[in-house]
Amino acid sequence: MTRTEPPPVPCPQPRVGAARRSSVDVTIEQLPRSLPLRSPSRRPAVRQVLCLLPLVLVAVVAVRQRSVLAEGFGHLASAKWPWLLAAAAATCLTWVAAAVTRQGALLQRLPRRRLLATQFAAGAANHLLPTGLGASAVNLRFMTVCGVPPARSSSALALYLLAESVARVGLLAALLIAFPDALRPGGLLPDGAVGPLLLAAGGVVCAAVTVLLLVRRVRTVVSGFLRTALGEARSVHTRPARALALWGGSFSFPLCQAAGLAAVGRSLGLPVPPLHMAVAYLAATVAVALVPAPGGIGSVEAALIVALVAAGGPAAPATAVVLTYRVITVWLPLLPGALTLGALVRLKMI
């Protein structure tokens, strides 16, 4: 009788997955129990606050200027609408001119639609913050998001401001030479005000020069910025398309603004020639360029009324023209501009 042996029992093989799990479990168990938990980021909340901030500022400015706002809207009923539409079209062209100038001040190509939307939003920011600071902050942030280094974006901003100032003063000088009787300078400034103004300007210049000479850190920063700015300006002017955009936009911007005021003057029957109104606008805006008021609200109205009276317009119609012009150029675009600013912040475009 043959003896049958039982089949061999297979030896249990170690499971690789289990070994890996055990090693992972041991590794996890060996981790310290007091690891800090990652707190949720607060950036979304901050961004939501920044989205709502422009609307709050619009409400505050509107409440503070409610009497001027109501009077300006009241004059719209008696105005000629074709001329008002022309003034609105000139206002829209100012944002296009600003976008063209911004691109001309920078070699790097910027997205066109976002650039135009940023200029519309920057206009609202400029009316809510001290003059120039709102638009400058929005444009600096926009260029940073587009990948422009801080030195180049600051240089582009300085070049833009310089070109716009040169164009505005140059246009004023050219029009005053062509129309020397457009303004009566005696009505622009009170008696005895020229001396204190010149003295204050000289004091500011002397203080700036003193700081540059005595503070080495400031001198180093300023010299480095000037080297970068001059290099960027040379590079821009080696590109004919960029130079044309820079200077063409710089001259178009104040011309569109002056054309808007002239159109409003025609709509309300102000007895001042359109070119004389353009001279008055340029003279008023140059005079209030250094006044630290939000968007020039208050100071621009006063300067424009004085300039139009100096150009030969009666005081009451000149006031009506200025208030209507500021409604079209400031108050009507202010809420849409603030909404655009909030949307750009929410979409992380600025």
Side-chain angles (χ1 to χ4, degrees), residues 151 155 219-234:
S155 301
R219 187 168 62 250
T220 303
V221 172
V222 171
S223 61
F225 173 77
L226 288 178
R227 284 195 299 268
T228 304
L230 290 175
E232 289 295 317
R234 284 194 297 267

Side-chain angles (χ1 to χ4, degrees), residues 206-277:
C206 291
V209 172
T210 303
V211 170
L212 287 176
L213 292 178
L214 297 181
V215 183
R216 183 177 180 181
R217 179 173 296 181
V218 174
R219 187 168 62 250
T220 303
V221 172
V222 171
S223 61
F225 173 77
L226 288 178
R227 284 195 299 268
T228 304
L230 290 175
E232 289 295 317
R234 284 194 297 267
S235 301
V236 164
H237 286 86
T238 56
R239 301 274 297 275
R242 289 290 188 271
L244 180 61
L246 175 64
W247 293 105
S250 298
F251 280 96
S252 299
F253 185 76
L255 281 177
C256 290
Q257 291 179 323
L261 179 64
V264 173
R266 297 285 291 178
S267 70
L268 292 175
L270 184 68
V272 177
L275 287 176
H276 290 196
M277 282 190 275

Side-chain angles (χ1 to χ4, degrees), residues 100-194:
V100 171
T101 310
R102 299 282 183 186
Q103 180 60 83
L106 188 67
L107 286 177
Q108 180 176 335
R109 181 175 292 275
L110 300 172
R112 296 180 180 178
R113 294 180 181 178
R114 288 168 56 186
L115 178 60
L116 183 58
T118 302
Q119 301 318 304
F120 183 52
N126 207 39
H127 295 305
L128 299 175
L129 296 175
T131 306
L133 293 182
S136 299
V138 170
N139 280 282
L140 281 175
R141 180 60 184 169
F142 171 68
M143 287 187 284
T144 301
V145 172
C146 291
V148 181
R152 289 187 176 181
S153 59
S154 301
S155 301
L157 177 63
L159 183 58
Y160 169 85
L161 295 175
L162 177 62
E164 202 274 334
S165 301
V166 170
R168 190 177 295 269
V169 175
L171 283 173
L172 176 61
L175 288 176
L176 284 176
I177 292 174
F179 305 97
D181 57 343
L183 292 178
R184 295 192 297 271
L188 290 177
L189 293 174
D191 295 336
V194 177

Side-chain angles (χ1 to χ4, degrees), residues 10 15 27 38 41 47 63 67 118 125 133 140-141 156 173 180 210 214 232 255 263 288-289 297 327 349:
R15 290 184 298 175
T27 305
R38 189 175 182 181
S41 177
R47 192 169 291 276
V63 169
S67 59
T118 302
L133 293 182
L140 281 175
R141 180 60 184 169
T210 303
L214 297 181
E232 289 295 317
L255 281 177
V288 301
I297 292 177
V327 165
M349 294 183 180

